Amino acid sequence: MSAPSGLVIAIDGPSGSGKSSTSRGVATRLGLRYLDTGAMYRAMTWWMLRAGVDPTDPVAVAARVGEPLIEAGTDPLGPTIAVDGIDVVRAIRTDEVTGSVSPVSAVAEVRARLLGLQRTIIAAAPGGIVVEGRDIGSVVAPDAPVKVYLTADPSARAVRRAAEEGGSDVAATEESLLARDRIDSGRAASPLVMAEGAVHIDTTPYSLDEVIDLVVGLVKEAGA
Ligand code: DC
């Protein structure tokens, strides 16, 4: 696999740590493309559910992994995601998909397929791209000159995620976030870890603009 030629900014961390808003803000500020790899795992999960595949059966999931055509758009002002030509921007955010995405993401064959797609998209963004996920700095783009690991207090994460989801119950959202963290961090294939060389930012005390400023500062410091 060829190394991406443009600037890659890797942003990893658990759900609700502010990754998406920060990544889109940094990309917009610096005129870069933006890739949400979580949306790709969600799109794969959406397809599996629709195809009647049990998301908790890794053998069944692995057998179908090559079938869906997943297309992710990289405009930070309007990221798109489609499966077999169907716009799934909203459909991938339902509780059903959210509840099944961790076991699907833990399947090695799913990760291998999406890794290939992610590297192709990164290579096609020669002007540079901000990529968010769980394994960007460790696996997808280990040579990225800027790697950030975002975290936040679980309660702050749940409040943000519930607001994003249009006012879901905060306690239930926190429980679901922590359950996904446990699976995402404990899985054998590319677990959520802080990559070597990553800068850790706990976003709890900061506003979104302040976090974007911090990351843009890191990019400038790296001379990237
Ligand atoms: O960022 P998110 O909550 O939309 O991600 C959805 C799920 O996808 C998350 O539970 C873990 C998985 N994921 C992953 O395993 N690797 C990535 N690079 C991105 C997301």
Side-chain angles (χ1 to χ4, degrees):
M1 193 72 59
S2 62
S5 49
L7 166 63
V8 179
I9 300 173
I11 305 206
D12 290 302
S15 316
S17 55
K19 273 190 325 271
S20 295
S21 319
T22 303
S23 302
R24 290 175 67 174
V26 170
T28 305
R29 195 86 82 75
L30 297 176
L32 304 174
R33 307 307 290 179
Y34 160 72
L35 179 62
D36 175 3
T37 61
M40 299 174 79
Y41 285 95
R42 288 172 177 272
M44 179 67 83
T45 304
W46 177 86
W47 185 90
M48 291 289 167
L49 291 168
R50 201 154 172 265
V53 176
D54 175 358
T56 64
D57 178 345
V59 175
V61 169
R64 308 289 301 272
V65 79
E67 292 183 46
L69 169 69
I70 296 175
E71 294 169 297
T74 59
D75 178 352
L77 296 175
T80 57
I81 183 94
V83 182
D84 297 335
I86 303 166
D87 175 350
V88 292
V89 166
R90 282 167 199 277
I92 60 168
R93 305 285 162 193
T94 59
D95 288 346
E96 197 194 6
V97 171
T98 299
S100 298
V101 66
S102 278
V104 171
S105 322
V107 177
E109 290 83 353
V110 169
R111 305 205 70 83
R113 165 121 204 266
L114 295 186
L115 175 65
L117 291 178
Q118 289 156 11
R119 288 200 173 144
T120 303
I121 294 168
I122 292 169
I129 187 163
V130 181
V131 187
E132 69 152 286
R134 303 290 190 291
D135 62 342
I136 310 307
S138 54
V139 175
V140 178
D143 297 331
V146 180
K147 298 183 191 179
V148 180
Y149 189 76
L150 294 184
T151 59
D153 284 350
S155 52
R157 291 167 52 201
V159 167
R160 284 181 196 155
R161 193 33 78 95
E164 273 167 27
E165 289 169 356
S168 317
D169 178 68
V170 174
T173 303
E174 181 170 341
E175 216 167 279
S176 139
L177 283 177
L178 292 175
R180 278 197 291 144
D181 280 2
R182 278 192 292 276
I183 303 179
D184 296 344
S185 304
R187 69 181 175 222
S190 309
L192 169 64
V193 286
M194 185 163 134
E196 214 185 303
V199 175
H200 177 200
I201 301 174
D202 179 347
T203 65
T204 312
Y206 299 118
S207 69
L208 172 60
D209 270 345
E210 288 170 330
V211 181
I212 294 171
D213 285 344
L214 287 170
V215 177
V216 169
L218 291 174
V219 177
K220 302 239 151 95
E221 246 172 59

